[in-house]
Amino acid sequence: ADGVIVYAVYKGKNKEKGQDKEKLVLIRQYRSTINDFIYEFPAGLVDAGEDFKTAGKRELKEETGLDFEPFFTTVGMTDESCGTVYGYAYGEPSKEGQEATEEIDIVLADRDEVRRILKEERVAIMCAYMLMHFLHSEEGEALSFLEEREDD
């Protein structure tokens, strides 16, 4: 794979209810081609000698400071060879690993924020599609769309 896209579910404590609340890890990045910010999943190129799972872990760490444990992968459906890794992110968000030329905000979006982003913001098409999966999942089941169902 030439590149990798990271779909990471972040679980943080909901202080009011004392339980985990799922959030998606997104970035809001300036893209000169559109002269604006756009919401995307963390992503990047696969380095020489690196598989795309390793690249996903590295890219998430560089762009958000979060650690990542991938567990399911698929090849992207674009004219470039791009893998998507799915899993859970943990740790404290940080911009420390970002390059000086990158203008990236780290976004941990719960379902309410995902709805707002889809209604009000510019969103990359692959990101929008995956955000809709997140919205239609049950709390605690953000990655359930990856499971094989008997009725399929």
Side-chain angles (χ1 to χ4, degrees):
D2 299 319
V4 64
I5 299 168
V6 182
Y7 182 97
V9 177
Y10 182 85
K11 289 190 172 187
K13 290 290 183 187
N14 179 336
K15 293 179 182 177
E16 295 168 9
K17 296 182 180 179
Q19 62 190 21
D20 286 345
K21 186 172 184 179
E22 292 176 326
K23 296 179 181 181
L24 286 184
V25 180
L26 301 172
I27 59 171
R28 181 178 171 267
Q29 183 167 205
Y30 181 81
R31 294 293 191 175
S32 59
T33 54
I34 61 171
N35 194 31
D36 202 355
F37 284 87
I38 190 167
Y39 283 82
E40 302 172 300
F41 289 114
L45 296 176
V46 176
D47 290 342
E50 186 177 53
D51 64 37
F52 71 99
K53 289 185 217 177
T54 303
K57 290 173 85 168
R58 177 183 48 76
E59 285 292 340
L60 188 72
K61 187 69 168 182
E62 286 176 4
E63 293 186 359
T64 70
L66 298 170
D67 295 308
F68 184 64
E69 289 300 323
F71 66 88
F72 182 89
T73 60
T74 185
V75 174
M77 298 181 69
T78 66
D79 61 352
E80 66 182 346
S81 174
C82 186
T84 304
V85 291
Y86 300 85
Y88 293 99
Y90 53 93
E92 290 297 319
S94 168
K95 293 185 172 194
E96 188 174 307
Q98 295 179 8
E99 296 177 18
T101 58
E102 293 178 311
E103 199 170 335
I104 299 174
D105 296 324
I106 302 159
V107 179
L108 301 177
D110 63 14
R111 284 171 174 75
D112 290 336
E113 179 64 0
V114 166
R115 280 186 196 89
R116 187 200 68 74
I117 289 168
L118 285 170
K119 287 179 183 177
E120 300 174 12
E121 304 288 351
R122 296 181 91 164
V123 182
I125 189 66
M126 179 62 176
C127 183
Y129 176 73
M130 300 307 289
L131 291 178
M132 288 186 281
H133 275 294
F134 179 69
L135 282 181
H136 293 287
S137 67
E138 298 291 325
E139 189 69 42
E141 300 291 328
L143 295 170
S144 64
F145 68 92
L146 299 173
E147 298 172 5
E148 221 174 288
R149 297 186 308 203
E150 290 183 29
D151 60 340
D152 288 344

